[in-house]
Amino acid sequence: MSSQINPDVLARQDELAARFRPRDPFRHVVIENFFRDEYAHQILAQFPPFERGNARNEAGEFGNKSTVEKIRGLGAAYAALDDLVQSREFLDLIGRITGIDDLLYDPWYFGGGTHENRNGQDLDAHVDFNRHPANRWHRRLNLIVYLNHEWDDAYGGSLQLHSDPRSADDRIITITPKFNRAVIFETTETSWHGFPRIALPTDKQALTRKSVALYFYTKDRPVEETAGTHSTIYVDAPLPARIQAGHTLEEADVDELRALIERRDQHNQRLYRDLAAMTARFEQVQAALYAGRLGRLRHVASIALRRFRGG
């Protein structure tokens, strides 16, 4: 671990733990120079090209975000990272910083891995899915390491932590995604986060927002933090403050409004698909009940098989 993690991080575990504990707006800590500098540059050098990753959004359409979950095949630096994050030594380090014991590594990197966001991409404020789809572990922590030598909050794309994006007095903490800066934050029912649309200057269009996202789990969690299983929950971005009575719409305003409407449509379509799937399963349960004992056994077996496959 000492060959990859910055020795300063190892030496400051108690300080980092103290910075993590305050709920401001929820528990998190920002760590500069998380990796050793040489290793961070190796991770960036072996970062996969955008075209290699999965660039389909939740509606199944190609977008401006590309992800690679299976990082081990990306090169020696990523194989070493995979070895690192599943080691008990590393998991205990993160546990000491966050106060969460018995952390588990996700061998599927479900939703994690390398993330690359191009100009025009954004991420609405959301709380993450709370159970692993394969084994139902409780999702507890996000660890994100940014890999951008050049970034400015004015470009958009900076991580935002929200107290409550549905409230008029939502309080936001902004974290610029600069090179080798890590952020660790808890995953709860109120850990709202996202980032505003990336809008790069004309001379910076080639830049992309790169990061490595690692998620950690436990088999159990405190009862007061436990909720019913759910997928990622989004809050649609509000209208820009400038859109009000008397404002004359310009082309940029219209483009932004179209993007907001399109995003709402995507979220509605996802909710419709989820509702349709739930309705179909309910009808299967009804059919199984009416089919007698054999039908019920078949239904239970189909649920077990679907969970095993991560469905």
Side-chain angles (χ1 to χ4, degrees), residues 137-204:
W137 291 342
H138 295 272
R139 183 167 170 180
R140 302 300 301 278
L141 293 170
N142 290 5
L143 192 167
I144 305 172
V145 183
Y146 296 106
L147 298 170
N148 310 294
H149 281 296
E150 182 182 0
W151 204 267
D152 190 285
D153 292 338
Y155 300 166
S158 292
L159 177 66
Q160 294 182 332
L161 310 182
H162 297 257
S163 60
D164 185 351
R166 300 162 298 190
S167 173
D169 59 354
D170 180 30
R171 186 164 45 83
I172 299 174
I173 289 179
T174 298
I175 301 169
T176 311
K178 291 189 175 181
F179 183 76
N180 206 11
R181 172 178 285 171
V183 58
I184 305 173
F185 60 90
E186 64 180 346
T187 301
T188 70
E189 300 307 302
T190 57
S191 57
W192 297 98
H193 60 284
F195 62 79
R197 184 174 296 272
I198 299 172
L200 297 167
T202 303
D203 61 340
K204 304 291 184 182

Side-chain angles (χ1 to χ4, degrees), residues 33-85:
N33 302 313
F34 183 72
F35 291 130
R36 284 182 178 270
D37 187 67
E38 180 181 2
Y39 181 65
H41 280 88
Q42 291 173 1
I43 291 288
L44 177 57
Q46 295 175 22
F47 198 92
F50 188 92
E51 293 71 22
R52 177 169 177 172
N54 176 16
R56 290 188 181 275
N57 59 28
E58 291 181 330
E61 303 166 341
F62 283 104
N64 289 316
K65 176 182 178 180
S66 177
T67 64
V68 174
E69 293 178 335
K70 297 179 179 179
I71 65 171
R72 192 168 189 89
L74 296 178
Y78 284 91
L81 179 61
D82 185 45
D83 289 337
L84 172 70
V85 299

Side-chain angles (χ1 to χ4, degrees), residues 85-106 135-141 215-222:
V85 299
Q86 63 183 294
S87 70
R88 193 69 255 168
E89 187 180 13
F90 180 81
L91 293 170
D92 288 345
L93 167 67
I94 303 303
R96 285 191 293 272
I97 291 173
T98 63
I100 300 176
D101 297 326
D102 302 319
L103 289 171
L104 299 168
Y105 144 87
D106 176 18
N135 47 38
R136 304 306 178 191
W137 291 342
H138 295 272
R139 183 167 170 180
R140 302 300 301 278
L141 293 170
Y215 307 143
F216 299 96
Y217 298 80
T218 56
K219 290 183 179 179
D220 300 295
R221 77 181 304 156

